[in-house]
Amino acid sequence: MEQRASLQRRFIQRVRQARHPLTGWRRWAVIAGQATLGVIGLFAVVNLVLSLSTFRGEQPLARTVQEIRVLWFSPLDDQPMSPNAFATVYGDEPGAAPDSAAIHAFLEQEAEDGVFLLDQVMVDRIVSLNGRVDARAVPSGIYVGAHALGPDGLPFVPVTKFLAQYLLFPRHAYILVVPAEGEAISFSASQNAKFDITVNPEQLAARIAPYDAQAYDFPSSGQALHEMTRITNDPARVAGAEEMLKQAQARLQAEDLRYGLLAPNSNTVIGCLLERAGAIDQATRSSILLALRAPGFGAACD
């Protein structure tokens, strides 16, 4: 122990007496810059490790390969999907050119296994077959979706879509409802400004909309990978989901909360909605891993 303490003292003394080509404020500016880069690098490494080691399913390597392929083929907004994209990403299963029934069977199995991807390549195929996302291809149910946040347009998206997916562990959550009949709908929460509402722009609000390219949460070039978890496929609960979401939207409007970076935020709204619906308890909602994955998810509801 004494030898180790002696080594530490000598190391600290050497650092203190080390010569530096700069002096004065320039020296400290360089040191501050190096420290900042070190913190950013450490943050990126920690996020990368978490991104590649959690919520990966039973085949994490295959999952990562799938994600990278989707990100590679993910087109810019208003640009067509590559004709080779689906065969490259899903050629093994459900096949290079599946119909709605085959996609439905594939996604049903994925949903039963746990967290699965509903990505831009898959959604593009579904929309090309049916014109919209509905129960013909996506099994009826209530889902929680989570995705990274990033810009959709040039010049940043070719790089940021990879950085956001792997170097930023936190995710934005939303609700997807796929009824037995009719178009799927999404429940998204954010600040008014994100919904292009200029009045009270910092107010926390929710939007219910068809699950299409105009929705706030929909697979796009900057958010191509959506991690989905099915909460329930009970027909009665699915049928009543839209009314439940409308009540949650009205309650949030009446509360007049100010959006917070950590809480209350969009994830807080989703977490509280799920807890009130009995889909998750407070202890699970407040777990450390979920707090890192979806900041604000476990914050108090009242």
Side-chain angles (χ1 to χ4, degrees):
M1 292 294 294
E2 292 182 1
Q3 183 178 6
R4 182 179 299 177
S6 178
L7 289 173
Q8 290 177 346
R9 284 195 298 270
R10 288 204 299 269
F11 175 76
I12 294 172
Q13 190 68 15
R14 181 168 297 180
V15 170
R16 287 174 176 173
Q17 296 178 356
R19 293 183 178 180
H20 199 282
L22 299 176
T23 59
W25 68 268
R26 293 181 179 85
R27 175 185 179 183
W28 289 108
V30 171
I31 292 173
Q34 291 172 336
T36 301
L37 290 175
V39 171
I40 293 174
L42 179 62
F43 176 83
V45 169
V46 170
N47 278 265
L48 179 62
V49 171
L50 287 171
S51 296
L52 295 177
S53 61
T54 58
F55 302 101
R56 310 303 293 169
E58 296 180 354
Q59 297 179 312
L61 180 58
R63 167 70 174 272
T64 302
V65 170
Q66 178 186 355
E67 290 175 348
I68 292 174
R69 285 173 173 171
V70 170
L71 291 172
W72 176 262
F73 282 108
S74 174
L76 295 172
D77 287 353
D78 301 323
Q79 296 295 317
M81 182 70 68
S82 167
N84 300 320
F86 196 90
T88 302
V89 177
Y90 290 104
D92 294 333
E93 189 180 6
D99 58 13
S100 294
I103 292 176
H104 186 283
F106 171 74
L107 292 180
E108 175 62 36
Q109 184 60 55
E110 292 285 288
E112 290 180 357
D113 290 342
V115 179
F116 68 98
L117 287 180
L118 186 63
D119 56 65
Q120 191 178 11
V121 174
M122 175 61 79
V123 169
D124 180 81
R125 174 68 182 176
I126 292 171
V127 173
S128 68
L129 288 172
N130 301 324
R132 66 184 189 183
V133 177
D134 57 28
R136 286 174 290 180
V138 181
S140 178
I142 302 173
Y143 301 81
V144 175
H147 62 83
L149 289 173
D152 282 329
L154 292 172
F156 302 111
V157 71
V159 174
T160 56
K161 62 182 178 181
F162 288 95
L163 298 181
Q165 182 65 30
Y166 296 111
L167 298 187
L168 289 175
F169 185 65
R171 295 291 185 265
H172 163 81
Y174 68 100
I175 300 291
L176 171 65
V177 178
V178 183
E181 299 289 340
E183 187 173 9
I185 61 172
S186 62
F187 177 93
S188 305
S190 189
Q191 53 188 323
N192 275 335
K194 294 293 183 66
F195 297 140
D196 298 324
I197 299 174
T198 57
V199 178
N200 199 0
E202 296 300 318
Q203 182 183 14
L204 186 59
R207 171 180 289 180
I208 301 172
Y211 193 61
D212 57 25
Q214 305 306 314
Y216 184 73
D217 293 301
F218 190 76
S220 61
S221 56
Q223 303 97 36
L225 298 165
H226 288 218
E227 300 164 356
M228 311 301 296
T229 303
R230 186 164 65 189
I231 301 302
T232 182
N233 59 354
D234 177 71
R237 296 186 68 180
V238 174
E242 184 172 2
E243 181 59 32
M244 177 192 69
L245 295 178
K246 288 180 179 178
Q247 292 175 6
Q249 183 184 38
R251 182 168 55 248
L252 183 61
Q253 180 70 26
E255 289 174 346
D256 192 22
L257 299 175
R258 183 179 178 84
Y259 182 92
L261 181 62
L262 297 179
N265 56 24
S266 57
N267 292 331
T268 308
V269 174
I270 302 303
C272 292
L273 192 157
L274 293 175
E275 184 178 348
R276 290 190 179 105
I280 191 172
D281 57 39
Q282 173 61 32
T284 303
R285 197 166 67 85
S286 302
S287 68
I288 294 176
L289 188 57
L290 275 179
L292 293 173
R293 189 60 161 177
F297 191 81
C301 298
D302 298 322

